[in-house]
Amino acid sequence: MYTRKVSTGILSLVHFDFPHYYALNSGLKDEIPGNSWYIAGNANFAGKYQPVDVVISNAPKFGYRCLYTQSNSDYIFSRGLTGTVNSLCAEIWLNIQSSTTGNIFAAMNASDEIFSLSVTASRNVKFSSNNWNITVTSDNALSLNSWHHIRLAISNRTVTVYADGVQIISTNTDVESVTFTMIRIGGANALYDEFILRDNIPTFTVTSQPYNLALDITKMGGFGTGRDGELIIDTGNVAINTCGHVTAVNAKNFTLALLTYATYKPVKEINAGDEVMFLVLQKSSGPDELCGLYAFRNIISVDGKNFSVDAPVNDEFDMAEAVNNYNVYCYKIPHFSKADISANLLTRHYVIAFRCSGDVNFTGGTKAQDGTVTARSDTHNLTHSDLPDRMIPSLGNIIITCGGKFTAPEGARLGHEKAGTITHPAGYGGRVINGENCIMIPYSPSSTAYGFNILIAAKRLAIDENALAYGARATNWYSGLCYLAGDLA
């Protein structure tokens, strides 16, 4: 994770939505790298719409689905999520389905349960720890078949539990720190959504929307300088990104071959002072660890097809390894002052990318160059939140940063063209026919063809959902990814 920011203290963040239903470890993605979750017993996932394990009318609280357990032998458990902390704060949304006992979540040290937060048969909340010699139960019961926000805070030798923002448990302990090697979620006959674990005690609010990591727009390269002037595309299919295959690299120096030029002449050449993006693509039979990673750099000198950039690429990925074992492509990234696009932007080797310091008015469309499709052979289960760091193309990648207002009304088309069997975006769940609308998963069920990826970061966003066409193009195709960052205009 390079361009996403994690708020201070977040140890784990699980939405129970991703990866999509057909993916390995479906529903168990942790936004924090290094954490892995696994299912024990008959823990599964519930939602209103297929594909889910169980259809339940009041599931989930957020998104497409949520965790569902029915007994204390059903839960999910973490690996890689370990620590010794002086403060611990956990939050989750809980919906009790029947009045039986069971855990909400628990902290483990190897096979030893450090503490648990649970519900009783009367639907009261109970905090218990044999190690700390504490058992405390709340006075009031939680209502059945309703969503409740549960928060546990342990700090300064005090254990505090809240339900829907109201303190329901407070007790003292002699323990100054908590050591855990595993977290378990689930065990009651209940639905669980939006789990977050921190090693600090933040200001308390009951969440009205899912927690999200933030895009670091500085590491992403910002909104550009506007040096290439105003972009006006009002006719035809226009490519704005010159690109080439990187054939050699030595620290800050690299060589390009197989150049494909932009058709928009003001940004055709790669010159000193320009910005470029490097994208790593997998060879057909090569490794896939670096596949889809990308990095931005600035050109400081040009000598034919030999170029020098302002800094070597090693923070985002190892450029030398990438050139040796993968296909690395380099794209010129134009910097516009304003953009008005009413015709089509065309991919250059699967990429449409630019920065704009001012407003972008997008009423046109995008097209994959020659309708080219690249079948994936990697093993990455990608989801929307991966896009700021990794994008593996099939039809194309759209990357735009905008320092003003980005407008795309209904009738615009970011992604698939308006033709043939093209369907709407995948979103959360929705209609599935032989894998249609599955989010960026490899292999299963039957295809390796994917839609566009869309990454747009703007100070203000005014994008109609019907303008986003990253969903499956036809039966047996998978969805691409979509990541929007900015304030709603």
Side-chain angles (χ1 to χ4, degrees):
M1 186 169 63
Y2 181 75
T3 60
R4 281 179 292 158
K5 292 186 290 187
V6 179
S7 299
T8 301
I10 295 180
L11 303 176
S12 176
L13 176 58
V14 188
H15 308 294
F16 307 112
D17 286 326
F18 305 118
H20 204 270
Y21 186 77
Y22 295 104
L24 181 67
N25 293 331
S26 178
L28 297 176
K29 180 180 176 63
D30 198 316
E31 296 277 18
I32 307 306
N35 299 337
S36 300
W37 292 84
Y38 301 88
I39 287 175
N42 293 316
N44 52 33
F45 296 90
K48 296 183 183 70
Y49 308 110
Q50 294 288 358
V52 289
D53 298 323
V54 181
V55 175
I56 297 178
S57 61
N58 58 353
K61 174 63 178 179
F62 301 111
Y64 143 55
R65 59 182 171 174
C66 62
L67 178 64
Y68 176 45
T69 66
Q70 299 181 70
S71 72
N72 246 333
S73 60
D74 306 333
Y75 54 87
I76 65 171
F77 62 95
S78 67
R79 289 178 182 164
L81 182 54
T82 65
T84 297
V85 297
N86 296 323
S87 298
L88 191 69
C89 181
E91 297 179 41
I92 201 165
W93 282 89
L94 176 72
N95 188 321
I96 303 171
Q97 297 293 288
S98 70
S99 299
T100 56
T101 62
N103 279 350
I104 301 171
F105 50 77
M108 311 291 294
N109 190 356
S111 60
D112 185 23
E113 184 180 277
I114 306 303
F115 67 77
S116 66
L117 196 67
S118 61
V119 292
T120 69
S122 300
R123 302 193 305 279
N124 301 82
V125 176
K126 181 173 73 173
F127 178 88
S128 57
S129 172
N130 291 332
N131 290 356
W132 304 349
N133 196 27
I134 296 174
T135 301
V136 186
T137 304
S138 67
D139 293 329
N140 298 322
L142 300 176
S143 57
L144 196 65
N145 293 313
S146 298
W147 283 101
H148 299 280
H149 181 268
I150 305 298
R151 185 194 204 230
L152 167 68
I154 302 174
S155 183
N156 297 322
R157 300 185 179 186
T158 301
V159 177
T160 311
V161 180
Y162 298 82
D164 300 323
V166 177
Q167 181 179 300
I168 59 173
I169 290 174
S170 181
T171 187
N172 295 327
T173 174
D174 293 333
V175 175
E176 294 185 353
S177 62
V178 180
T179 297
F180 60 92
T181 60
M182 179 190 298
I183 300 294
R184 292 180 177 177
I185 304 173
N189 190 340
L191 304 168
Y192 306 80
D193 209 354
E194 199 64 19
F195 174 75
I196 188 169
L197 183 71
R198 299 181 174 95
D199 65 2
N200 61 5
I201 310 296
T203 303
F204 181 32
T205 58
V206 176
T207 57
S208 59
Q209 60 186 8
Y211 288 108
N212 290 296
L213 304 185
L215 180 73
D216 189 332
I217 191 62
T218 301
K219 285 188 175 180
M220 191 71 188
F223 301 120
T225 63
R227 59 177 170 253
D228 293 312
E230 185 174 352
L231 173 69
I232 299 177
I233 303 296
D234 56 11
T235 184
N237 304 313
V238 181
I240 59 172
N241 299 104
T242 291
C243 75
H245 183 214
V246 180
T247 57
V249 64
N250 181 11
K252 296 187 291 185
N253 306 307
F254 65 96
T255 302
L256 289 183
L258 304 175
L259 279 169
T260 305
Y261 287 96
T263 56
Y264 185 68
K265 292 183 179 179
V267 295
K268 178 181 177 181
E269 303 295 338
I270 301 178
N271 299 305
D274 287 339
E275 183 184 19
V276 292
M277 181 185 83
F278 299 102
L279 174 63
V280 183
L281 300 179
Q282 186 185 17
K283 292 181 179 178
S284 58
S285 60
D288 69 357
E289 182 182 355
L290 303 185
C291 184
L293 297 179
Y294 59 101
F296 297 96
R297 292 293 186 270
N298 293 308
I299 298 288
I300 58 174
S301 66
V302 178
D303 181 10
K305 293 184 178 180
N306 298 309
F307 303 84
S308 296
V309 292
D310 53 347
V313 177
N314 46 38
D315 290 334
E316 302 89 337
F317 57 89
D318 186 323
M319 186 69 158
E321 178 187 353
V323 171
N324 287 334
N325 299 316
Y326 298 77
N327 288 320
V328 179
Y329 282 83
C330 175
Y331 306 82
K332 176 178 176 176
I333 308 298
H335 286 210
F336 300 116
S337 58
K338 182 179 179 182
D340 194 334
I341 302 161
S342 57
N344 290 321
L345 291 182
L346 184 66
T347 62
R348 274 291 182 259
H349 207 82
Y350 317 110
V351 167
I352 296 169
F354 67 89
R355 303 189 191 277
C356 185
S357 57
D359 294 341
V360 175
N361 183 34
F362 191 98
T363 59
T366 55
K367 296 186 67 175
Q369 183 179 7
D370 303 322
T372 302
V373 177
T374 296
R376 290 177 60 196
S377 59
D378 63 275
T379 58
H380 294 286
N381 287 329
L382 298 184
T383 66
H384 302 299
S385 63
D386 289 304
L387 199 52
D389 295 308
R390 190 187 297 267
M391 51 177 63
I392 299 173
S394 184
L395 277 181
N397 296 318
I398 299 170
I399 311 162
I400 301 171
T401 65
C402 169
K405 180 180 178 181
F406 189 101
T407 301
E410 183 176 7
R413 198 72 169 183
L414 288 157
H416 298 303
E417 304 170 51
K418 295 179 180 178
T421 57
I422 293 170
T423 61
H424 290 292
Y428 293 119
R431 184 168 63 95
V432 173
I433 302 173
N434 296 327
E436 181 182 358
N437 287 353
C438 295
I439 295 174
M440 268 284 173
I441 62 175
Y443 307 122
S444 179
S446 62
S447 175
T448 53
Y450 297 80
F452 271 81
N453 299 317
I454 302 170
L455 172 57
I456 298 174
K459 287 187 176 179
R460 293 179 296 153
L461 293 166
I463 301 177
D464 189 283
E465 63 178 348
N466 292 312
L468 296 169
Y470 58 90
R473 183 180 185 186
T475 300
N476 293 333
W477 281 48
Y478 298 145
S479 168
L481 308 175
C482 184
Y483 189 107
L484 305 179
D487 294 327
L488 297 179

